[in-house]
Amino acid sequence: MKKYIILTILVFSISIIILCCSKKSSEETVINLNEKNVKLEEYMIDMVLAEMKEYENYEAIKAFSVVVRSNLVNDIIKNNFSNKKNLNIYLENKEKKSTKKNVNIYRKVKNAIFDTKGEVLCYKDRVISVPYHKISSGETIDIIRGTNIKIPFLKKTICEEDRESKDYLNIEYYNYNKAYSNIQKVKHLLHNYQIEKMDDMLRVVVFGKGHGYGMSLYNANVLGSNGNNYKEILLKFFDKVKIIKVY
């Protein structure tokens, strides 16, 4: 019970909101989205495109599509949209115009979403909120910072290839008096960093890009390029999960 309370107070994107689905059988978890599933897939295009437009591996895009769908279905359940008469209200209020500057990547993203239609990640027959980040510091995290508590569905995954990314290392300089308190507020969102005081300046060195939990998008693209399919990619980062088609 104590572990559950600690997990639920996590204040960043890896907050563990696990929401129940109803079972169709002992092997399949199902959820009713009231005939709004196709619109859901269309809505996902912009969300996937925003993060994956720089990565072109098709299996990596499919893997991320499952991640996005899991989070969106989780959010719909949490906000009880599945029981509203018009799920369109939710989707239309958040809808954005898709950019089609790169027709090929747009088409690839759309196909990846529909090729994985209805698939989500479940842990113990429950849809999970799935964390991800752009680039790891060389490995992903599977415990809550400052504790020895393991997040049950995450793996500590070595991602040496991430160090080769052009965005792996970021160095910034800030005025000490103006920046220190703000940096202290956000440093928990960073995976691996160094803060050094240099006279009246702060030198902040960040390794990787993002909090380090869940799937590294850069590494997912590498895995896909090396011949792994989207299910193998997901299972590298997530432990004891099932990829289940809920509609």
Side-chain angles (χ1 to χ4, degrees), residues 135-193:
I135 306 164
S136 78
S137 66
E139 64 181 20
T140 63
I141 309 172
D142 65 343
I143 63 172
I144 301 174
R145 284 191 181 88
T147 75
N148 291 320
I149 299 175
K150 185 181 184 306
I151 300 172
F153 54 82
L154 295 186
K155 288 182 179 179
K156 184 176 182 180
T157 303
I158 303 301
C159 304
E160 288 292 341
E161 299 89 349
D162 287 22
R163 302 178 192 274
E164 301 171 8
S165 168
K166 62 181 178 60
D167 297 318
Y168 173 75
L169 186 64
N170 296 276
I171 303 175
E172 299 287 347
Y173 293 87
Y174 302 93
N175 178 280
Y176 181 85
N177 293 326
K178 292 182 179 179
Y180 186 77
S181 60
N182 289 332
I183 291 173
Q184 293 300 311
K185 291 177 183 177
V186 302
K187 68 181 185 179
H188 67 284
L189 300 175
L190 307 175
H191 182 186
N192 197 336
Y193 62 90

Side-chain angles (χ1 to χ4, degrees), residues 54-72:
E54 58 191 282
Y55 306 122
E56 296 191 355
N57 182 267
Y58 191 60
E59 293 301 315
I61 297 173
K62 286 166 67 178
F64 186 61
S65 297
V66 175
V67 168
V68 169
R69 186 182 297 104
S70 299
N71 291 336
L72 187 54

